[in-house]
Amino acid sequence: GEGGGEGGGEADLDADPRHLDFVLSPSPTPASTLLTKELPAHADAAEVSPAALSFVQGLSSHLAAAGGAALLIDYGSDAPPSDSLRGIRGHRFVHPLHAPGEADLSVDVDFRAVRAAATATDAALVCPPLVEQRHFLAAMGLEARVNALLRAAPSDEVRQALFDGAT
């Protein structure tokens, strides 16, 4: 839910079943009171995912006990997202409450909070900074792979499609 903002509450579903929308609670809720303590003072709204943080804590405990590594890939940034909740239906963005149960829901990840949850579980865990997708793909050898595919492509149309997909 959203924390902060006017009323300091969290977003709830509107009571009108013919048109679903989000509204702000008139006062802080127990969840927003608990979860907004970690938000920057200047934030007037933020999305918080207790389930994601719980998952990272469990994963971190497992890694601390058994060893290993984890690679987390998703859309997000190093700050609490605000207004990133979106519905996806038929490969198009739709309102998150459009056709409930028929649209996929997606939000951005606060990777700073993910790293904080991991290191709070075990301070010895190494959590590198966020890497943008293009830098990650370059480090994984995307250019060499695309060049090999381009050389082996059977036509100019296939080469153009490969080039378009890689840029």
Side-chain angles (χ1 to χ4, degrees), residues 18-86:
R18 295 167 294 170
H19 175 73
L20 296 176
D21 207 350
F22 296 102
V23 296
L24 205 55
S25 171
S27 61
T29 65
S32 69
T33 301
L34 175 67
L35 297 173
T36 57
K37 291 178 183 175
E38 301 297 319
L39 296 178
H42 66 278
D44 61 354
E47 297 165 1
V48 181
S49 177
L53 299 180
S54 177
F55 167 79
V56 168
Q57 290 168 339
L59 176 62
S60 300
S61 293
H62 174 77
L63 291 173
L71 175 63
L72 305 180
I73 299 175
D74 210 334
Y75 293 103
S77 66
D78 271 337
S82 177
D83 200 27
S84 77
L85 176 63
R86 56 203 168 260

Side-chain angles (χ1 to χ4, degrees), residues 50-141:
L53 299 180
S54 177
F55 167 79
V56 168
Q57 290 168 339
L59 176 62
S60 300
S61 293
H62 174 77
L63 291 173
L71 175 63
L72 305 180
I73 299 175
D74 210 334
Y75 293 103
S77 66
D78 271 337
S82 177
D83 200 27
S84 77
L85 176 63
R86 56 203 168 260
I88 304 167
R89 184 171 185 207
H91 304 286
R92 291 198 161 90
F93 291 118
V94 297
H95 188 279
L97 299 177
H98 171 78
E102 297 177 23
D104 293 327
L105 300 178
S106 178
V107 294
D108 289 348
V109 174
D110 178 356
F111 283 102
R112 182 186 62 193
V114 166
R115 281 193 307 280
T119 56
T121 303
D122 183 355
L125 288 176
V126 176
C127 298
L130 187 63
V131 175
E132 290 185 10
Q133 180 180 15
R134 66 179 154 180
H135 299 300
F136 175 78
L137 292 174
M140 295 291 104

